[in-house]
Amino acid sequence: MNLPTSPAAERNKQPILEALLGVLGPQGTALEIASGTGEHVVWFAGAMPGWQWQPTEGDERLLPVIDARIRHNGLGNVQAPVLLDVTATPWPLAAHGFDAIFCANMLHISPWASCAALMDGAARHLRPGGRLITYGPYFDDEMPTAPSNLAFDADLKARNPAWGIRRLDAVAREAARAGLALLGRQGMPANNLLLVFGSAEP
Ligand SMILES: C[S@@+](CC[C@H](N)C(=O)[O-])C[C@H]1O[C@@H](n2cnc3c(N)ncnc32)[C@H](O)[C@@H]1O
């Protein structure tokens, strides 16, 4: 199979899977935002047969890549990828209630408005009790800033001034505005965090 790959996704897919298994139950429906090359969704779907996955991507050029990867892996629990830009409303999805929404490494490689859009969309599309799970680097006062993340942030801003590593408290504020509370955070390899959000209502 000669498809584009992401070395980072190959490195982090197993640690993320292990974190997801600790957060999610044995079955459900999951929406992936910004699926990229599709390496995450096929890895998770293969290891979580009780879950139905819906990959999505904002860059239409990646849809055939994701589709080919799903077919190559012969997975029956992954739907065909959908073109979905988080900042466009409504989200073009047939299903409205997902048990989980997963989004890795998008918030720092898109303008800040994508954070509010992700939170609003997740609040609309999560079932009661559902979880939004984000993964990536964040700046957070509770942990020392890794030099590698500072360098990554500078590189992102040089590529596009609207990009950059987001502050965890700012992301949590956008979530709260949309009605989602930060329920958990887990340190991940290479100075990344996995964040878990759920309904702020009791
Ligand atoms: C660094 S890649 C991460 C891909 C994959 N989630 C991973 O972790 O390997 C960032 C992805 O976010 C997507 N993206 C950026 N802005 C977006 C938006 N507004 N809506 C949906 N996807 C977006 C890009 O097209 C790209 O595929």
Side-chain angles (χ1 to χ4, degrees):
M1 187 176 52
N2 191 16
L3 292 171
T5 60
S6 157
E10 286 303 315
R11 280 195 302 274
N12 62 35
K13 64 186 185 180
Q14 181 60 24
I16 296 175
L17 170 65
E18 287 164 18
L20 292 180
L21 292 172
V23 171
L24 301 176
Q27 59 193 40
T29 55
L31 172 68
E32 185 182 36
I33 300 294
S35 297
T37 56
E39 283 153 284
H40 280 154
V41 77
V42 299
W43 190 251
F44 303 156
M48 300 168 74
W51 281 77
Q52 291 290 331
W53 287 84
Q54 174 63 69
T56 71
E57 215 332 290
D59 182 345
E60 65 182 350
R61 293 167 302 182
L62 289 168
L63 297 181
V65 175
I66 301 165
D67 204 34
R69 198 159 252 129
I70 295 165
R71 287 166 193 275
H72 177 81
N73 283 273
L75 292 162
N77 59 336
V78 189
Q79 304 299 311
V82 167
L83 181 64
L84 189 156
D85 179 333
V86 285
T87 61
T89 49
W91 286 0
L93 299 167
H96 274 262
F98 292 91
D99 299 298
I101 298 179
F102 175 73
C103 178
N105 291 318
M106 182 194 73
L107 292 177
H108 57 279
I109 306 190
S110 58
W112 173 236
S114 72
C115 182
L118 174 67
M119 297 306 172
D120 288 335
R124 284 195 308 274
H125 287 276
L126 278 177
R127 282 202 179 116
R131 297 287 182 259
L132 167 67
I133 299 167
T134 68
Y135 167 92
Y138 300 88
F139 290 137
D140 178 23
D141 292 338
E142 284 184 30
M143 60 185 187
T145 299
S148 59
N149 276 353
L150 282 176
F152 185 38
D153 182 55
D155 178 61
L156 288 166
K157 287 176 172 144
R159 288 161 66 191
N160 185 330
W163 294 359
I165 295 182
R166 308 304 177 192
R167 286 192 54 83
L168 177 51
D169 54 1
V171 173
R173 264 198 306 279
E174 284 299 335
R177 183 198 48 72
L180 297 173
L182 178 59
L183 303 177
R185 49 175 286 171
Q186 187 170 332
M188 300 293 290
N191 301 302
N192 289 291
L193 287 176
L194 185 121
L195 305 178
V196 182
F197 300 89
S199 173
E201 290 168 19

